[in-house]
Amino acid sequence: MSDIRHNWTREEIREIYDRPLLSLVLEAANVHAKNHVYGEVQISSLLSIKTGGCSEDCAYCPQAARYQTGVKVQALMKVDEVLAAAENAKAGGASRFCMGAAWREVRDNRDFDRVIDMVKAVNSLDMEVCCTLGMLSPQQAERLADAGLYAYNHNVDTSEEHYGEVITTRTYDDRLKTLSNVRKAGISVCSGGIIGLGETDSDRIGMLQTLCNLPQHPESVPINVLVPVDGTPLAENSRVPFDELVRMIATARIVMPHSAVRLSAGRLALSVSEQAMCFMAGANSIFAGDKLLTTPNPEYNADKDMFRILGLTPKAAFADGHPKNKAKAEQHEPA
Ligand code: SAM
Ligand code: DTB
Ligand code: SF4
């Protein structure tokens, strides 16, 4: 029988989340080793192709125009600049290249035409091309898929109940609608969230429940730890204790056994041994490069050392096949 479930109750997820940490990590490590190459980690590179000036009010985000965060607004980059950055990322070992834009949603204009050209250009490098551009219509998702987009990142960020405390300019349902548009276009889904927003354990469990009860699990689940940025409403939030991050990763690994779990924003505040425990608990993807979108991330050499010390190996591009083929396979699995 398939170990993929889409009918998790909050109580079942809570029972996992609340286990003694070492037992939880052991269970997650077993699930991880059964479904993935243990110690293999996907390296993704991030590039902010359009920075700042965003109309949304996401309380964590340094790119929202309404908060004074010192982020410099930058118009959409040129295709050849993006291609050069992707080539550089590939040379540094990245197999996925993710382009982020500080947009509420994609509009059908010349900027979108240019993003389509960026997708085509990066695709020609044989990298997994990913975008995160805000909300998408079904037609826009199709256009991105036709251009060769491999994955689309769109986070639910937190539980449905807590969402309104963090963002008021769009709804949880808006987010889910875009995820469904992405899925229907045959694009690999990357969706996760942030811890450290002032949410409760129930909210964290609720967020995982939303993700693991989607009609198909996201192929990639980023777990971000809030990077507090001066000027945002959450600038003074206290740091998430490391054991809570491990708990979150391990629970995500158990309820979504086949997905990549990405240890995303917040790595700069973690030691190599803390990150090691995250990898043991099922994290098998990171963002590498000294900048995320606007905030710092570990230096290239620090990550290189970490890979050497922990014996991690970078995962090749397209090792899991194309999502279009996988989608067909999963439809035949019992719920
Ligand atoms: N504007 C698009 C959107 O909101 O979907 C794409 C870019 S947005 C910056 C991508 C994701 O980055 C957000 O959904 C959020 O999860 C994460 N993020 C933004 N600011 C963050 C912060 N300060 N700490 C951790 N994660 C953050
Ligand atoms: C995701 O879940 N995390 C990345 C990526 N998807 C786009 C973004 C993290 C952003 C952290 C804040 C910043 O650097 O601006
Ligand atoms: Fe805009 Fe995305 Fe930042 Fe929200 S998370 S303010 S939508 S860039």
Side-chain angles (χ1 to χ4, degrees), residues 46 62-63 98 132 153 155 222 224 227 264-265 287 292-295:
L46 252 185
Q63 302 200 66
C98 179
T132 180
N153 166 248
N155 293 335
N224 295 276
V227 180
S264 301
F287 286 117
L292 289 164
L293 291 171
T294 66
T295 63

Side-chain angles (χ1 to χ4, degrees), residues 186-318:
I187 298 169
S188 178
V189 171
C190 172
S191 188
I194 312 180
I195 55 175
L197 301 173
E199 72 285 345
T200 61
D201 285 343
S202 280
D203 291 316
R204 292 177 186 171
I205 291 160
M207 176 179 107
L208 291 176
Q209 191 192 19
T210 298
L211 295 169
C212 68
N213 288 344
L214 287 171
Q216 264 179 259
H217 293 174
E219 281 79 0
S220 166
V221 179
I223 304 292
N224 295 276
V225 180
L226 176 73
V227 180
V229 178
D230 283 348
T232 61
L234 303 186
E236 301 304 325
N237 276 21
S238 48
R239 204 182 138 182
V240 175
F242 147 76
D243 56 298
E244 296 183 16
L245 168 62
V246 173
R247 208 169 269 295
M248 193 67 184
I249 288 174
T251 309
R253 167 51 65 229
I254 292 168
V255 298
M256 291 173 279
H258 294 188
S259 304
V261 176
R262 191 187 317 262
L263 174 59
S264 301
R267 278 200 309 120
L268 200 54
L270 299 173
S271 66
V272 167
S273 34
E274 287 171 331
Q275 292 181 69
M277 200 157 170
C278 294
F279 296 127
M280 288 171 69
N284 60 347
S285 173
I286 57 165
F287 286 117
D290 56 12
K291 205 159 86 170
L292 289 164
L293 291 171
T294 66
T295 63
N297 197 43
E299 298 285 338
Y300 176 77
N301 281 330
D303 278 343
K304 220 172 139 194
D305 284 348
M306 178 175 76
F307 269 62
R308 183 181 48 76
I309 292 165
L310 303 180
L312 302 176
T313 51
K315 187 170 180 178
F318 310 110

Side-chain angles (χ1 to χ4, degrees), residues 54-58 60-61 63-64 101-104 170 175:
C54 184
S55 61
E56 299 293 87
D57 70 351
C58 312
Y60 48 76
C61 187
Q63 302 200 66
W103 286 332
R104 168 186 166 75
R170 52 172 149 65
R175 291 306 264 189

Side-chain angles (χ1 to χ4, degrees), residues 132-202:
T132 180
L133 313 168
M135 292 184 275
L136 287 184
S137 69
Q139 295 73 23
Q140 290 164 340
E142 289 285 348
R143 227 185 128 194
L144 285 163
D146 290 346
L149 188 76
Y150 184 84
Y152 195 80
N153 166 248
H154 200 66
N155 293 335
V156 297
D157 278 339
T158 188
S159 68
E160 183 162 16
E161 297 91 306
H162 191 61
Y163 196 79
E165 301 290 318
V166 184
I167 302 151
T168 68
T169 47
R170 52 172 149 65
T171 66
Y172 212 65
D173 273 353
D174 290 332
R175 291 306 264 189
L176 296 176
K177 188 84 203 52
T178 291
L179 289 177
S180 152
N181 294 342
V182 168
R183 176 59 79 202
K184 283 186 190 137
I187 298 169
S188 178
V189 171
C190 172
S191 188
I194 312 180
I195 55 175
L197 301 173
E199 72 285 345
T200 61
D201 285 343
S202 280

Side-chain angles (χ1 to χ4, degrees), residues 42-48 85-90 92-100 122 127-131 262 285-293 297:
Q42 181 198 44
I43 302 178
S44 248
S45 179
L46 252 185
L47 179 69
S48 183
E87 280 166 343
N88 201 26
K90 186 177 173 178
S95 58
R96 178 176 287 204
F97 189 71
C98 179
M99 300 178 268
V122 178
M127 297 180 88
E128 296 178 9
V129 195
C130 176
C131 281
R262 191 187 317 262
S285 173
I286 57 165
F287 286 117
D290 56 12
K291 205 159 86 170
L292 289 164
L293 291 171
N297 197 43

